[in-house]
Amino acid sequence: VTGASFVVFNGALKTSSGFLAKSSIVEDGLMVQITPETMESLRQALRDQKDFKITCGKTDAGDIKEYVDISWVENEEKTNKG
C-alpha cells in the first residue's frame, strides 16, 4: 500500500510496449501509465463513481503483478468540496 499526495494518470502507453500498465513514484505522488483504452474505461468508471482496478506489469510476467485500486468511499463532509 502506497500513500500519495497526488496521482497522475497518463493515457499514452502503447500496447506494443509489452506492459499492461506501469506505475512509478514521482516525488510524493504516483504516476500510472496506461493505454488509451484503459484511460477511457477509467474515465467512465470515474463518471459512474465505480471502483476501478488497474493491473500493472509486463503482459507476459505470469502471476507477479502490481495493482492500482481506485475505490470510492463513504461521503465525508470534511473533504474538499471543490
Side-chain angles (χ1 to χ4, degrees):
V1 176
T2 301
S5 296
F6 64 90
V7 179
V8 175
F9 295 101
N10 178 341
L13 185 67
K14 294 187 177 13
T15 333
S16 60
S17 69
F19 284 91
L20 298 166
K22 291 169 36 172
S23 63
S24 54
I25 296 173
V26 180
E27 295 181 14
D28 60 343
L30 180 69
M31 181 171 66
V32 184
Q33 296 174 316
I34 55 179
T35 62
E37 296 81 14
T38 304
M39 178 64 91
E40 186 54 41
S41 297
L42 171 61
R43 291 179 65 181
Q44 188 60 51
L46 291 173
R47 280 188 217 106
D48 297 340
Q49 295 185 347
K50 302 285 184 189
D51 293 351
F52 194 77
K53 180 181 232 175
I54 300 171
T55 305
C56 300
K58 291 197 169 230
T59 52
D60 58 357
D63 291 341
I64 302 172
K65 302 272 190 260
E66 292 180 2
Y67 301 97
V68 175
D69 289 318
I70 295 119
S71 302
W72 290 88
V73 296
E74 293 297 318
N75 189 10
E76 188 174 320
E77 295 298 322
K78 295 179 183 177
T79 58
N80 182 354
K81 294 184 181 184

